[in-house]
Amino acid sequence: MAFLHYPSANVEKKGGRTVGRQYQSVIMMIFLSLVMLGGIGSRLFYLQLVEGDRNRKLAEENRILLLPRRPARGTMFDRKGKILAGSRLSHSVSIWPIALPVEQRDQVVKRLAKLLEIPEDEIQQRIESAGYESTQSIAIARGLSPAQTTALAEYASELPGVRVEAEAIRSYPNGDLAAHVIGYTGEIDEEEYDTLADSSQDYRLGDIIGKMGSEKSFESLLRGVWGGQQVEVDSAGNVLSILGEKPPESGQNIRLTIDLELQKVAEKALGDKIGAIVAMDPRDGAILAMVSRPTFDPNIFSTRITQAQWEQLNSRGNPFLNRSLQAYPPASTFKIITTTAGIESGTFPANTVLPTFPNINAGGIVFWDWNNAGFGPLGFDGALQWSSDTFFYQVGMRMGHKPIIKWMRKYGFGAKTGIELVTEESTGLVPDDAWKQEIFEEEWYLGDTINMTIGQGYMQVTPLQTAVMFAVAANGGYRVKPHLLLDGAESQQWKTSLGMRPDTIEVIQRGLRKVVTSGTGTRLNVPTIPNAAGKSGTAEAPPYENHTWFGAYAPFEKPEVLVVAFGEHSGGGGGSFAAPMVKQVMEAYFNGPSEKDKEKSKQPKQSAG
């Protein structure tokens, strides 16, 4: 019997597997491919759908830029519509860091530094502050000269990422006139940026902001809203197409209470003397003129200020200090407060008469009257008329210092007046028992009270606070809130009654009128102005010359203007030094500027920038 022989390779052995082995590698390849495709797909899904917006943004930032456009700053006018601060056309240069090729950075910085006469490290620092990947343009210089603009155009091919464009920069057509009221603008610094970056007004590095005065106080009204163009650029930063545009919104125009013509006269009256003049409407606190010397031309800050310019400015005795808002001893102008406190405290009737003396001895210390002779018997009005020191010494010695301190505060001393220049205004100083104990670790002495009655000692008040004090006498007992923004508000919103007795007001008014008719202020007793009332003051300031004061209002019967003049270490007396300045301002207010002044004001004023 024959047997068929089957090869052993084709026999399935028990416990082994040989069927389908040739397909195993194919299956594995298909499986791995599916896993890989699934991973790639899920990654694509994540990148496109989950993080699509973010990645598209990152890609577009390399070719799409936003070219910001600065809004035109609002114009500042005086009360009659004359321009105090406006804008003029100029050119600026900026850099797009992201469009600045790495290999050309040093070359571009060196070229710009040479053309603009700016230190290389200053330009480098600006770029590094923003970051080399920044898509925002970084301002390098403003107010370019025609020669600089032309040179930048000639070297444009060597300056990738650099842009020159026309822009409006701040202009002050009257030069240094009213500089402390108007203020100036400048480029935001890092500290200011950190403070303002979170505000709702879109501040950015290189932005221009108000730095002082009304420019700073009314920044939110004047600045406007940024606009810009969204553009597509190539790798060198050249614009290929405009994708969209948002026009900038100009800032608001504002009107100040300042009268430009009266300001000019007040500036001329003070001249080159160090000090201040404030002219105010006593009915509502509107500031008509505010002068401080020394001063500066705000135009120099509209472009890059040099170190030499800065040093020259500061050599003039701190020209940026608004002396109208700085505190000094008020001298005999303060006798208005002592009169108020004496009568209102109930210690002295309004018709009180006291003897006056060459001097008074208190606690072994001799306190002299200013004329070293006394004036005989005087009432409050006569004591104001002749500014008798020994009269007010007696009032303080009998009444004590607390009623004086109370009325200092009611008149507004020791606190800011409320004027919009809040960051520049001093509160002054109202000294009391607690203050003296803290500062000197001493109790309050009788001599402190005696000095206080005549505006000497520790107290400090500003020319503006002094103007508010005179306004109380002028308007019949109301403390006004000084203000610069002319918004048409009713005067009742700007004043508060001090609740003074009618006979107190009457005595003060009568005394201040006598000062002008026959007392220490007869320089204002002239036919060129209506009947006026006022008070002089001369404050000792050893080892330096005296400070001098004079404040006055007119017409006496129905006051509409008051003027306070102050001379810092001027020497002389308030009646001789400061009163003539007050007279000049009042003459201009009631009669208009002289023909000579009118001709001078027509001539164009030279200013920097």
Side-chain angles (χ1 to χ4, degrees), residues 213 391 524:
F391 179 95
L524 268 71

Side-chain angles (χ1 to χ4, degrees), residues 544-558:
Y544 305 105
E545 295 277 2
N546 296 334
H547 300 309
T548 54
W549 296 84
F550 200 91
Y553 58 85
F556 174 69
E557 297 78 12
K558 196 175 182 179

Side-chain angles (χ1 to χ4, degrees), residues 556-579:
F556 174 69
E557 297 78 12
K558 196 175 182 179
E560 56 186 77
V561 65
L562 73 81
V563 183
V564 170
F566 168 74
E568 181 179 314
H569 300 302
S570 61
S576 60
F577 181 87

Side-chain angles (χ1 to χ4, degrees), residues 10-22:
N10 292 334
V11 176
E12 183 177 350
K13 297 181 179 179
K14 189 175 181 179
R17 181 184 176 194
T18 58
V19 178
R21 187 180 295 271
Q22 64 269 35

Side-chain angles (χ1 to χ4, degrees), residues 43 47 111 234 246 264 278 321 335 357 452 501 543:
R43 181 60 178 168
L47 293 174
R111 178 69 70 187
D234 61 20
K246 177 191 175 186
K264 289 178 181 177
V278 176
L321 189 69
K335 290 169 181 175
F357 310 97
M452 176 178 278
R501 292 163 41 178

Side-chain angles (χ1 to χ4, degrees), residues 106 133 136 142 162 172 183 212 214 233 321 339 350 454 516 524:
D106 292 341
E133 301 304 314
Q136 288 192 6
R142 292 186 170 85
V162 175
Y172 304 93
M212 176 184 169
S214 295
V233 299
L321 189 69
T339 298
I454 63 168
V516 172
L524 268 71

